Amino acid sequence: MKSASTLWYVDTADPAAVLRERPASDPGAAQALAGELYADNDVRPIVVGTLDGCAGPDRDEVYIGCYPGVTVVCTAEAALIEPTRLPDLLVRPLASEHTYLISFDTTVHWGAFAHWERGEFRRSFSSTRVDILENEGLPMVWEREFWAGDHPVPWDRDDRPRPQSLPFDPPDFADAANAHWLGFRYLEAPRLGDLPVCGFTLYPKGRAPEPVSTAPPRRGLSRWLRRPGRLADDQVDQ
């Protein structure tokens, strides 16, 4: 996985235990949340995917997993250089106890994470290997080993680290936040790559294509006439 851009809404004391069970995502709840978060768009279901393949979606897509006490929203809007700029609607749409933002891109060696508790900001961090882009709130205990140099950057042979380079790789730092909060990693074991998520395409308002008709052919007798059937908006392809 080269990138992730995810928001997690948690209302259970042990989200890791919930996720280890690989629960199915509730498609109705996912559809409702997608419609709430993207009310200015036409939202259309596409596929049921997996977290491993959908954690870093394009701008015109969103993938949502709704599980008991845990909800994940994979959205490009979480890939923020300054996580504190996350829109209020995305901070706490479900009145959740905790909101976690985890984003990274291994191709540019950037990573970010943030935490809100009951909608109140607690901690955020964002950096490249050289530049700290945001560092707000009190550092957490688990961060200490990274700042102490226990997780050095895997520099390539031809790289020449600058004197101000950080003592860790930012994607690894963000992934460690995910492991601390949710009990799994995107980049290494333990992983939850097959966790199911429901996918949706976001269209400009009023520009979504018409759903495909599934009506049977019309019969000659009027009593066999049928109106064209349409896929329900909340139907997710399997």
Side-chain angles (χ1 to χ4, degrees):
M1 180 183 294
K2 293 183 178 180
S3 66
S5 181
T6 51
L7 295 165
W8 293 84
Y9 307 108
V10 176
D11 268 319
T12 177
D14 193 354
V18 173
L19 298 176
R20 280 195 301 268
E21 295 296 324
R22 304 299 201 277
S25 175
D26 181 336
Q31 173 87 39
L33 181 56
E36 176 183 347
L37 296 180
Y38 298 96
D40 293 336
N41 295 87
D42 288 336
V43 180
R44 296 293 182 266
I46 40 177
V47 296
V48 174
T50 63
L51 186 64
D52 192 40
C54 304
D58 294 332
R59 285 277 172 188
D60 62 348
E61 295 178 338
V62 61
Y63 293 87
I64 298 177
C66 295
Y67 323 109
V70 181
T71 295
V72 61
V73 176
C74 306
T75 171
E77 291 189 77
L80 294 170
I81 297 301
E82 297 175 313
T84 52
R85 292 183 177 271
L86 187 71
D88 289 342
L89 178 60
L90 288 170
V91 170
R92 203 184 185 211
L94 301 174
S96 54
E97 187 77 7
H98 298 281
T99 301
Y100 302 120
L101 178 152
I102 307 292
S103 293
F104 62 80
D105 188 331
T106 60
T107 60
V108 295
H109 309 295
W110 166 79
F113 60 85
H115 174 212
W116 292 260
E117 184 176 7
R118 299 179 185 174
E120 294 294 324
F121 171 76
R122 293 289 182 249
R123 172 70 172 136
S124 72
F125 183 84
S126 172
S127 81
T128 64
R129 286 181 172 180
V130 176
D131 297 314
I132 293 178
L133 307 170
E134 183 168 274
N135 185 17
E136 300 292 337
L138 295 175
M140 292 166 282
V141 173
W142 65 265
E143 297 181 36
R144 185 178 304 161
E145 61 189 59
F146 283 86
W147 293 106
D150 294 344
H151 300 270
V153 176
W155 296 103
D156 293 331
R157 180 179 301 178
D158 296 331
D159 287 337
R160 294 185 177 181
R162 301 181 190 178
Q164 69 270 34
S165 296
L166 296 177
F168 52 78
D169 204 21
D172 186 36
F173 197 27
D175 201 31
N178 198 80
H180 177 74
W181 289 325
L182 297 158
F184 78 96
R185 291 180 178 269
Y186 288 106
L187 298 174
E188 60 185 60
R191 297 181 64 179
L192 289 177
D194 58 350
L195 193 70
V197 290
C198 300
F200 304 89
T201 299
L202 307 176
Y203 295 94
K205 201 70 172 178
R207 297 180 62 183
E210 288 294 322
V212 177
S213 173
T214 59
R218 294 195 176 197
R219 305 293 182 88
L221 298 177
S222 61
R223 65 192 180 116
W224 291 108
L225 290 177
R226 295 289 184 270
R227 294 183 179 179
R230 298 187 178 217
L231 293 175
D233 284 348
D234 61 351
Q235 181 177 346
V236 178
D237 294 336
Q238 299 297 322

